[in-house]
Amino acid sequence: ERFWQKVDKRGADECWDWKARIHHGYGVFTNNGLKHAAHRFSYELVVGPIPEGLVLDHLCRNRACVNPSHLEPVTSRVNTLRSDRT
């Protein structure tokens, strides 16, 4: 419940922006004294565990987005290749 209070939850296809602490563009959520990437926390709450060895790629390219439907588990290499950074 406390997690979702920090999310600007819009339509199912829209970005759900994190409204609390942001670090390097990513939301940060503290739970039981441990810091978590908000997008990872959201994905695990809604979808389940992130497969071992994979990271979450923001398909929407919005790092502050925590909408699980905008997140895809991929390898680090795929995530880097998809990145818009040069």
Side-chain angles (χ1 to χ4, degrees):
E1 177 66 29
R2 191 171 61 85
F3 176 84
W4 296 114
Q5 292 173 354
K6 300 173 187 300
V7 176
D8 184 6
K9 196 172 180 181
R10 300 175 186 182
D13 294 333
E14 296 180 78
C15 286
W16 298 353
D17 288 329
W18 183 249
K19 299 186 300 183
R21 182 168 181 245
I22 300 286
H23 183 70
H24 295 290
Y26 295 96
V28 178
F29 178 65
T30 302
N31 187 45
N32 294 327
L34 298 174
K35 292 180 184 174
H36 304 272
H39 66 289
R40 293 177 59 88
F41 197 87
S42 173
Y43 185 90
E44 291 186 339
L45 271 177
V46 175
V47 178
I50 300 163
E52 191 168 332
L54 299 182
V55 298
L56 294 177
D57 181 23
H58 282 89
L59 300 174
C60 58
R61 296 294 170 247
N62 174 5
R63 290 189 228 172
C65 178
V66 298
N67 184 340
S69 70
H70 288 194
L71 303 169
E72 179 183 16
V74 297
T75 64
S76 291
R77 176 166 171 69
V78 167
N79 193 31
T80 300
L81 290 171
R82 288 180 177 176
S83 174
D84 56 0
R85 289 184 173 185
T86 55

